[in-house]
Amino acid sequence: MRCEVVTAARTAMDSDDADDSDGADDSDGADRTKGENGTDSERGPDGDGRAGSGGEGVAGAPGAPGAPEVAGGNAVAGPPPPRPLLRAALALYLDLHAHPELSGHEHRTAGLLAAWLTEHGCTVTRAVGGGHGLVGVLRNGPGPTVLLRTELDALPVAEATGLPYASTTPGVMHACGHDLHIAAAAGAVALLAADRDSWRGTVLVVGQPAEETLSGARSMLEDGRLYERFGTPDAALAQHAAPLPAGTVAHAPGGAPLMAGSIAADVTLYGRGGHAATPHLTVDPVLMAAATVLGLQSVVARETAPAEQAVLTVGSVRAGERGNITPGTAELSLTARAFTDSALDRLLAAATRVVRAQAAAAGAPREPELTVTARSPALLPGPALTAAVRRAHEASLGAGRVLDAAPATATEDFPHFGAGGVQTAYWLLGTTGVRQWRAARAGGGPVPPNHAPGFAPDVRTALPAGVTAMAAAARQVLDPGPGGGGPVRRDTGPGGGEAGS
């Protein structure tokens, strides 16, 4: 997810009133260490088993005091994930976090997920889409097909968490929580595989590479012919780590977008190189780039309606090697974000005008090049499926831990899985430990967001919630088996068939 800070409109617990039974207290004897960001985190999976396996420690979780009981209907609360399963999922998370891989290089990560899926009865196909994409298929009789998506890639960020399981790959980090997504999806598959009497249908697990470059989903769907080869699912599900209280999930209100659409573009500006001592004999692309960056700031400020949410950011500037040499070119990378395709088109057109105008003003010897490298539509989860999944989350996690999410200008390529009328549901998974959350609310340092060097999920609370949330959501799509369960009634009216597209 290309993101800044993800916020929620309602934080249910109010968070200051959250009780310490969410697994973040010191009384449970978990073997932990405290990172530089103040988050209690695991030393590893071989302690007393409480850390990371304490689904029973989440207030409102199944089996906890005050947990809601659901009789019949679609949302059937199950028991907490078994401790051995959570220990194994935690071990997978720690391994993934310590060995992150960048977009397009996720070979080891894909291998670990493939091995887990195979162990739990899935038929696994690798290299779907030409990269490291993989698909696991778990069939359990006739019935609906549900797609569970998780991302594989990490970010070019140097980790600064101080955790004992921090990245061992210099300059690369799971700073967006994809390691947590993989472990949660893996745990959910293990739960479903171990309880086949409760459901019927097919679980399609998609391990997607290159999400951070917004190219992996389209590659799997188009180059890998995902739906042609493995069948079009009745619904596609995904969740994403966010700086919300660990143990919570957050949904967009029905019909509202959860994330913005995005356009990513690279710009090359052409100058005429030479000696720094004779600037009059050169056309300086560094100065051209600086003027372009400043000029692009006016696109949102002066060409977007005040009520319309839009963001344009230049995230990379590259030019030259030495201070005494004027280079011949300069390169920029930018992203534009908005909640409608028409707004994205206007942002791109305005940015193109600014780039060309600055090059012309500088007397560039040739036209600049602007290349769109990725584009993704706004993330608009299907209202009917979202409502059903939300009810399941309220039943399995407790209503107080299911929040409302405000639209964020972060971007995902998950909407592509909604092609052809596939319903989608997508929610945020809280990762912030209760102490860190309270400290931030009391005026301390801000919670490190996704993509920050200090981003460190409180995995012992977030992982059980993620496993439970994904498994409960999948059961809403699958048919019930002899042991219970319950599918959502799929939308055929306006909006439902367009989810995520």
Side-chain angles (χ1 to χ4, degrees):
M1 176 177 69
R2 293 188 173 192
C3 71
E4 298 86 23
V5 179
V6 181
T7 60
R10 178 176 67 90
T11 59
M13 302 185 272
D14 184 44
S15 269
D16 279 341
D17 297 326
D19 74 297
D20 285 336
S21 64
D22 63 2
D25 60 313
D26 288 332
S27 61
D28 63 2
D31 185 15
R32 297 186 292 273
T33 186
K34 184 165 290 189
E36 293 178 353
N37 60 7
T39 303
D40 287 331
S41 303
E42 281 310 309
R43 291 188 186 277
D46 56 349
D48 63 4
R50 298 189 183 187
S53 60
E56 70 279 10
V58 179
E69 292 188 7
V70 180
N74 288 337
V76 178
R83 184 168 293 179
L85 183 154
L86 285 171
R87 280 179 173 166
L90 175 61
L92 175 63
Y93 169 83
L94 296 172
D95 192 346
L96 292 167
H97 190 87
H99 302 95
E101 295 174 305
L102 292 174
S103 303
H105 301 276
E106 309 95 334
H107 175 75
R108 184 180 186 275
T109 304
L112 289 173
L113 178 56
W116 177 288
L117 296 178
T118 300
E119 179 184 350
H120 292 281
C122 294
T123 301
V124 177
T125 304
R126 301 281 297 271
V128 178
H132 296 296
L134 67 90
V135 176
V137 181
L138 181 63
R139 301 189 189 278
N140 192 29
T145 297
V146 61
L147 184 153
L148 313 183
R149 194 288 304 260
T150 184
E151 318 94 301
L152 306 178
D153 53 338
L155 285 161
V157 174
E159 182 162 355
T161 62
L163 294 169
Y165 53 87
S167 170
T168 58
T169 306
V172 181
M173 175 192 177
H174 269 297
C176 207
H178 294 182
D179 47 353
L180 178 61
H181 306 168
I182 297 170
V189 170
L191 274 181
L192 293 169
D195 189 23
R196 290 172 180 256
D197 285 345
S198 68
W199 60 277
R200 289 291 181 266
T202 298
V203 178
L204 200 65
V205 186
V206 172
Q208 180 202 318
E211 187 278 332
E212 293 294 351
T213 60
L214 300 181
S215 61
R218 293 187 69 173
S219 175
M220 294 192 74
L221 286 161
E222 296 174 6
D223 300 337
R225 299 181 294 110
L226 178 65
Y227 290 170
E228 295 175 40
R229 296 169 62 187
F230 301 97
T232 300
D234 294 275
L237 309 176
Q239 60 187 346
H240 205 294
L244 300 170
T248 67
V249 296
H251 289 271
L258 184 56
M259 294 185 188
S262 172
I263 291 176
D266 290 340
V267 176
T268 301
L269 299 167
Y270 295 97
R272 185 167 59 244
H275 201 295
T278 57
H280 59 294
L281 301 178
T282 69
V283 176
D284 189 349
V286 177
L287 185 59
M288 198 187 312
T292 300
V293 172
L294 292 176
L296 286 170
Q297 305 312 302
S298 68
V299 169
V300 172
R302 286 295 175 265
E303 300 200 36
T304 304
E308 185 176 50
Q309 288 181 277
V311 178
L312 193 153
T313 300
V314 179
S316 175
V317 180
R318 301 173 294 276
E321 299 292 338
R322 298 282 297 274
N324 63 347
I325 302 171
T326 299
T329 61
E331 298 175 342
L332 312 176
S333 293
L334 62 89
T335 58
R337 305 161 189 268
F339 288 92
T340 64
D341 285 340
S342 60
L344 286 173
D345 290 338
R346 283 189 281 108
L347 290 172
L348 178 60
T352 302
R353 289 199 310 272
V354 169
V355 169
R356 290 176 177 170
Q358 292 296 343
R366 57 179 287 191
E367 283 280 310
E369 295 177 2
L370 188 151
T371 303
V372 174
T373 58
R375 180 163 182 162
S376 187
L379 175 55
L380 184 63
L385 182 58
T386 296
V389 169
R390 180 168 187 146
R391 289 193 298 270
H393 288 168
E394 289 173 346
S396 57
L397 297 172
R401 295 184 177 270
V402 181
L403 319 179
D404 291 331
T409 49
T411 303
E412 254 274 20
D413 64 357
F414 177 74
H416 292 300
F417 290 105
V422 175
Q423 282 200 94
T424 59
Y426 188 107
W427 60 94
L428 304 179
L429 176 64
T431 61
T432 306
V434 66
R435 287 187 189 80
Q436 191 177 26
W437 185 265
R438 288 175 173 172
R441 287 178 60 88
V447 174
N450 303 53
H451 292 211
F455 178 72
D458 181 0
V459 64
R460 66 201 183 90
T461 307
L463 180 56
V467 171
T468 298
M470 184 60 83
R475 292 178 185 278
Q476 292 304 296
V477 180
L478 298 164
D479 278 341
V488 61
R489 298 296 163 233
R490 279 161 282 286
D491 243 353
T492 56
E498 300 297 323
S501 61

